[in-house]
Amino acid sequence: MKRIVVLGSTGSIGAQTLDVVRRHADKLEVVGLAVGTRVGELLAQAREFGVRHLAVGDERLAEQPIADELRNAILSGSHGGTQQPASAPSSLAEAVARHNAGGEGSLGFGADAVVDLVRLPEADIVVNALVGAAGLRASYETLAAGKVLALANKESLVVGGDLIMPMAAEPGRLMPIDSEHGAIYQCLLGEDPREVSRLWVTASGGPFRGRTRADLADITPAQALAHPTWNMGAKISIDSSTLMNKGLEVIEAHHLFAMSYDRISVVVQPQSAIHSMVEYSDGSVKAHLGTTDMRIPIQFALSYPERWDAPVEPLDFTKLGTLEFAAPDTDTFRCLALARAAGERGGTLPCVMNAANEVAVAAFLAEEGSYLGIAACVEAVMDAHERQGVQRVESLDQLEELDAWARAEARRNVR
């Protein structure tokens, strides 16, 4: 039995992780759950899986009055009982304290409480599905605590790869969850890394494949969120549409597989049937194909080194039709080129680039900035940091300080 903590349990990756647990309840047990703000869903998950250790990232919710519907959901408890106490709780903290009554449990609010879950002595694996740079410290502390890190948080390696990878040298300590790196990981199994000549990271091309910059001038958030093949959260969906997501994955691949940037290529594969490829020195290419469902890489990260029964219907090659390939349009989708440039320059520039992108994407989703303005904002903040001087990555505190600076600078450059 593998015991897991899921950080970001109500997001797309977190919810699909719990679905894998449902299918393999004889092999997996959830011992900790963390969310940002979606407390009602968190408590429903806690009841279903019998989880006693909970964390809520938004500390402002600790004393916030809660609605009757949510209060009743909490007070139903995780023991199957429905009897209501005489008095209703006045805050979320009190309500969940009652939820934990009758068994040993914990509830915390704020970023530190989320990170505390990775240190649970009973936990074997931590699924880090947090969104954004907030996931970096959780990844660092997971490895520091000797746990296996199942990583869906791209920013952990984009921002802090220089700190994270030396802690994950032992095989199996860091298992990538995203489809591209999970595919590369599997294509490398049993191979000599010295015989790898190129990593091919595939991209769907997003909803705007084939468009020109002029076509993208008036793009709305709703249009950008309509991904053609994958079901993802809002931030990642926007990143996919700008190809920033693919730029982040190039940086991740550099760190995960110790591969130089000149040997990492991006290819557009619109059907998303090929999840990535590895080219070897003799000209052979291994490709990982499968259904476009994130439960496959999630399950492999949790089952490794074993393979369990498929969580989805396998790909039917007789119905696949054709496979298309094309080079990415980095002139139109400038975020890919910006991310690669940040990775090649290295040091603290990827941290700054990532923070600026998070701010620009949030502004676009809030209709405070334009679609094309995302790349413009990122480039402006990168230029400002380079003028100040890119630094060598030395600590989490250093990265968090630069992250804060970059966010403030990005807010001044939203356009």
Side-chain angles (χ1 to χ4, degrees):
M1 180 71 73
K2 296 182 178 182
R3 296 165 298 182
I4 67 174
V5 169
V6 184
L7 308 181
S9 64
T10 58
S12 175
I13 294 296
Q16 291 177 86
T17 297
L18 295 180
D19 192 49
V20 171
V21 174
R22 289 185 189 96
R23 294 165 183 269
H24 298 285
D26 58 327
K27 302 180 180 72
L28 296 169
E29 178 186 359
V30 184
V31 297
L33 294 168
V35 301
T37 60
R38 291 152 70 174
V39 179
E41 294 175 50
L42 169 67
L43 293 167
Q45 293 172 345
R47 288 195 300 274
E48 177 183 354
F49 294 96
V51 182
R52 286 295 178 187
H53 298 285
L54 310 175
V56 179
D58 189 342
E59 59 188 7
R60 296 171 298 181
L61 295 176
E63 299 304 327
Q64 180 174 308
I66 55 176
D68 289 341
E69 181 180 356
L70 176 56
R71 181 183 297 119
N72 291 336
I74 295 168
L75 294 177
S76 66
S78 59
H79 304 288
T82 58
Q83 184 175 358
Q84 303 295 310
S87 61
S90 61
S91 70
L92 183 57
E94 182 185 348
V96 183
R98 293 187 186 181
H99 164 79
N100 286 335
E104 185 178 351
S106 63
L107 166 70
F109 293 87
D112 289 345
V114 173
V115 173
D116 283 344
L117 289 182
V118 312
R119 304 187 186 96
L120 287 173
E122 61 266 42
D124 304 309
I125 304 173
V126 174
V127 177
N128 186 350
L130 299 174
V131 176
L136 171 57
R137 187 171 289 276
S139 291
Y140 183 93
E141 295 297 341
T142 295
L143 293 170
K147 317 291 187 182
V148 171
L149 174 62
L151 186 62
N153 173 261
K154 297 181 183 302
E155 293 77 10
S156 290
L157 296 182
V158 171
V159 175
D162 292 338
L163 299 177
I164 295 294
M165 290 313 299
M167 304 172 69
E170 182 183 346
R173 283 293 307 284
L174 196 167
M175 297 299 299
I177 277 183
D178 65 321
S179 62
E180 293 80 5
H181 301 105
I184 292 171
Y185 192 101
Q186 294 181 63
C187 288
L188 289 171
L189 289 175
E191 300 286 355
D192 187 339
R194 295 172 297 182
E195 296 174 350
V196 175
S197 59
R198 184 165 300 277
L199 305 180
W200 287 95
V201 179
T202 56
S204 71
F208 306 133
R209 180 171 58 91
R211 305 274 189 101
T212 65
R213 284 183 62 79
D215 294 332
L216 301 178
D218 298 316
I219 290 296
T220 66
Q223 292 171 313
L225 289 169
H227 195 278
T229 53
W230 292 100
N231 179 22
M232 305 175 292
K235 193 268 181 183
I236 297 176
S237 294
I238 300 301
D239 282 350
S240 180
S241 75
T242 65
L243 294 193
M244 174 58 85
N245 202 43
K246 215 48 52 178
L248 300 181
E249 288 172 3
V250 167
I251 299 175
E252 279 187 284
H254 163 74
H255 287 293
L256 279 169
F257 307 113
M259 189 67 60
S260 61
Y261 284 98
D262 62 351
R263 293 198 291 159
I264 304 174
S265 296
V266 172
V267 60
V268 175
Q269 204 287 292
Q271 292 78 25
S272 296
I274 298 178
H275 299 148
S276 275
M277 302 175 286
V278 176
E279 181 180 328
Y280 293 91
S281 55
D282 64 352
S284 300
V285 178
K286 279 188 175 182
H288 180 282
L289 289 80
T291 304
T292 54
D293 193 302
M294 285 302 298
R295 287 173 292 182
I296 294 176
I298 291 169
Q299 180 171 296
F300 182 76
L302 297 176
S303 70
Y304 179 84
E306 300 176 355
R307 290 185 186 272
W308 299 338
D309 291 343
V312 296
E313 286 296 319
L315 185 63
D316 186 344
F317 289 95
T318 65
K319 299 178 180 178
L320 181 58
T322 60
L323 293 174
E324 302 173 67
F325 301 92
D329 180 358
T330 53
D331 291 329
T332 299
F333 302 96
R334 296 178 56 245
C335 284
L336 173 56
L338 289 170
R340 182 182 281 273
E344 291 173 346
R345 178 67 174 83
T348 52
L349 191 56
C351 169
V352 166
M353 176 274 298
N354 177 76
N357 179 65
E358 288 190 20
V359 170
V361 168
F364 170 66
L365 287 170
E367 300 185 349
E368 296 169 356
S370 68
Y371 184 76
L372 292 177
I374 295 173
C377 177
V378 171
E379 185 171 27
V381 178
M382 287 174 60
D383 288 346
H385 184 51
E386 289 192 281
R387 288 193 297 270
Q388 291 185 353
V390 176
Q391 307 164 28
R392 177 182 176 181
V393 174
E394 296 178 347
S395 69
L396 289 178
D397 290 342
Q398 171 206 27
L399 291 173
E400 288 172 357
E401 182 178 336
L402 275 171
D403 178 90
W405 171 85
R407 289 174 191 276
E409 188 72 15
R411 283 189 283 271
R412 289 191 288 270
N413 282 278
V414 168
R415 55 193 70 180

